[in-house]
Amino acid sequence: MAETTTPHRFLVKWRHLFQSVLKLLLLAGDTYAFIFCVDRWYPATDFHFWGYVMFAVLYVIVLLAFINMYRCFSIGTLRKRELVIGAFIAISLTNLVNYFVICLLSKYIVSVLYLGFICCCQIVYSALLLLAANFLFFRLRPSRDALVICAEDRHDADTLRKFDYLRESYHVQEVVSESDPRELLYEKLEKCSTVVCGSVDLALRSELVKYCFEKNKRMFVMPQPDDIILHSSHEVFVGDSMMYLCRNRTFTLEQLIIKRLIDIVASLFGIVLTGPLMLLTALAIKLQDGGPVFFKQVRYTRNCKKFTLIKFRSMIVDAEKDGARFTTDHDDRITPVGRFIRRTRLDELPQFFNILAGDMSLVGPRAERIENVEYYCKLMPEFRYRMKVKAGLTGYAQIYGKYNTTYEDKLKMDLMYIENCSIMEDIQLLFQTVRVLFIPDSTEGFVTTTLDGLGKTDEQDTEKHSL
């Protein structure tokens, strides 16, 4: 049954209060632990009272910045594992920053042992707090009844089925098609508090937006490329009329210069820092089967320019002698060493040389192989929009997507970056990349091995979900 208005309002107010208390408990506990550590084990930073207050303020500011970046307070949205991983990274980075501050104040390199111990205690405390909050959230807040409206051919059903991940928050009552009679559709809408709208006709979507706005119903909309471009527009006033301005540009000249300088410095630093690791990886690959260490492949970058991407080889020699194939789960072409370096992303390290050469950037859309891009552009011409910027080592699609994420979803994530790109956005995405290392399902393979098979799978899914 749909929620009544009064309990709904009460729960919304309670939720905000709940999140505020959660933030205060987490921030207070972690900050107290850090100040206790500084006061007890780092006497070189012996402050007066107001000195500790200022240090605590600095700690809270840095911790809040990382907590917001990793969405640690997204109770009810992120999975429990993602909440804990986010807290782990946020606390670790915050303590690392403040460790350098302690060293500067002490004027020598202090022992990291005590701060490391406190960091472990903070992580355990924060994880338990977040898990308890997650448990209470779903026990005290009833799920919303949702109606899912698919396109007529149900091609978007697989994407909308991902609401199963949010089943504790949203209970899908029924999945209907946009071709259903309007009277029947609105009759079902009356019984639900949430509407999930797929790739339906624009006229129907406009009706649903107005209906949900008038009825105060929550609405999820699957965006199209045009929507993402408009979403990133700026409000301007022409006389007394408001209009949306779509600048349709990426980086300014100044930003491009700064971005390139960051790429050069970061890639050189990355090569020096990971050099020993790359040597060990190369040795392991060579000892595995005696084959070549590197895998090279021609791919697209900015303005459809072709370049040769370099990675550590993770598959057997001549893995694609019978033609290009997608990687699947438990793919027998992946070597034991290759499986490890793919899971830990060590196979991506040689791309620092691509970045240094100027073919790639640290942040940007994933470099897709030539035949994939040409095939995807036939299915969805907007896919070529991804080549408005350089291919990147990391980006929205690499962070929030998986290896087998659909090309439509990859385009939407990459387009979101292109429309909002900035130096600060790049820095934020670089920090968020750390999170990917702790999420193994981001390397999940395809269920098919070829582009033709991908097309057949899409057709089968459409038939399977049709009325």
Side-chain angles (χ1 to χ4, degrees), residues 268-281:
L268 285 172
F269 180 76
I271 291 169
V272 172
L273 185 65
T274 64
L277 199 55
M278 285 198 276
L279 288 174
L280 289 174
T281 304

Side-chain angles (χ1 to χ4, degrees), residues 109-126:
I109 303 299
V110 300
S111 172
V112 74
L113 181 64
Y114 303 115
L115 188 58
F117 170 73
I118 288 297
C119 183
C120 292
C121 295
Q122 290 172 311
I123 291 169
V124 172
Y125 167 77
S126 300

Side-chain angles (χ1 to χ4, degrees), residues 373-411:
V373 172
E374 293 175 351
Y375 180 78
Y376 294 150
C377 285
K378 290 179 182 178
L379 298 177
M380 192 177 192
E382 295 92 342
F383 196 79
R384 68 183 185 276
Y385 295 167
R386 299 173 70 254
M387 273 74 79
K388 290 190 72 173
V389 296
K390 283 184 182 180
L393 183 62
T394 187
Y396 278 111
Q398 296 93 312
I399 294 170
Y400 295 104
K402 303 177 183 178
Y403 172 72
N404 63 355
T405 296
T406 64
Y407 64 89
E408 297 101 330
D409 285 331
K410 283 182 181 178
L411 170 62

Side-chain angles (χ1 to χ4, degrees), residues 76-88:
T77 302
L78 295 183
R79 291 175 291 180
K80 289 179 286 188
R81 179 179 59 183
E82 292 173 331
L83 290 172
V84 173
I85 290 173
F88 164 75

Side-chain angles (χ1 to χ4, degrees), residues 393-440:
L393 183 62
T394 187
Y396 278 111
Q398 296 93 312
I399 294 170
Y400 295 104
K402 303 177 183 178
Y403 172 72
N404 63 355
T405 296
T406 64
Y407 64 89
E408 297 101 330
D409 285 331
K410 283 182 181 178
L411 170 62
K412 292 172 185 176
M413 286 186 274
D414 290 331
L415 195 56
M416 183 169 65
Y417 168 73
I418 291 169
E419 286 296 305
N420 296 280
C421 58
S422 67
I423 300 301
M424 288 305 299
E425 186 77 4
D426 280 11
I427 294 172
Q428 183 173 344
L429 289 172
L430 286 172
F431 275 108
Q432 290 178 340
T433 303
V434 181
R435 168 180 166 271
V436 180
L437 302 176
F438 300 92
I439 303 178

Side-chain angles (χ1 to χ4, degrees), residues 61-229:
I61 291 173
V62 177
L63 181 59
L64 268 178
F66 283 120
I67 280 177
N68 291 329
M69 184 180 295
Y70 293 105
R71 301 170 60 198
C72 300
F73 291 137
S74 297
I75 305 295
T77 302
L78 295 183
R79 291 175 291 180
K80 289 179 286 188
R81 179 179 59 183
E82 292 173 331
L83 290 172
V84 173
I85 290 173
F88 164 75
I89 299 173
I91 293 169
S92 299
L93 290 177
T94 301
N95 285 336
L96 181 63
V97 171
N98 282 276
Y99 170 74
F100 289 123
V101 174
I102 292 173
C103 291
L104 288 173
L105 293 172
S106 303
K107 298 182 181 180
Y108 65 92
I109 303 299
V110 300
S111 172
V112 74
L113 181 64
Y114 303 115
L115 188 58
F117 170 73
I118 288 297
C119 183
C120 292
C121 295
Q122 290 172 311
I123 291 169
V124 172
Y125 167 77
S126 300
L128 292 174
L129 190 63
L130 288 171
L131 291 174
N134 191 72
F135 175 82
L136 289 173
F137 180 86
F138 290 115
R139 291 300 176 274
L140 299 177
R141 180 185 181 277
S143 62
R144 293 173 175 270
D145 293 330
L147 180 70
V148 175
I149 305 175
C150 289
E152 186 173 3
D153 59 3
R154 297 296 184 99
H155 70 274
D156 50 4
D158 279 343
T159 300
L160 298 178
R161 195 181 297 112
K162 293 176 184 177
F163 265 79
D164 289 342
Y165 292 129
L166 304 176
R167 56 182 172 272
E168 291 181 300
S169 296
Y170 298 95
H171 177 239
V172 177
Q173 294 283 355
E174 191 175 354
V175 179
V176 298
S177 170
E178 64 175 330
S179 59
D180 288 358
R182 287 289 193 273
E183 297 80 10
L184 180 62
L185 187 62
Y186 281 104
E187 182 181 333
K188 293 176 180 178
L189 284 171
E190 285 290 339
K191 301 176 182 177
C192 297
S193 63
T194 302
V195 179
V196 182
C197 183
S199 303
V200 302
D201 180 73
L202 290 178
L204 174 59
R205 193 177 76 169
S206 179
E207 287 182 30
L208 293 172
V209 169
K210 294 174 183 176
Y211 171 83
C212 292
F213 183 78
E214 291 176 0
K215 300 290 185 179
N216 296 321
K217 293 182 182 290
R218 185 168 293 191
M219 185 177 186
F220 288 89
V221 179
M222 184 184 295
Q224 300 304 309
D226 293 349
D227 297 321
I228 299 173
I229 294 172

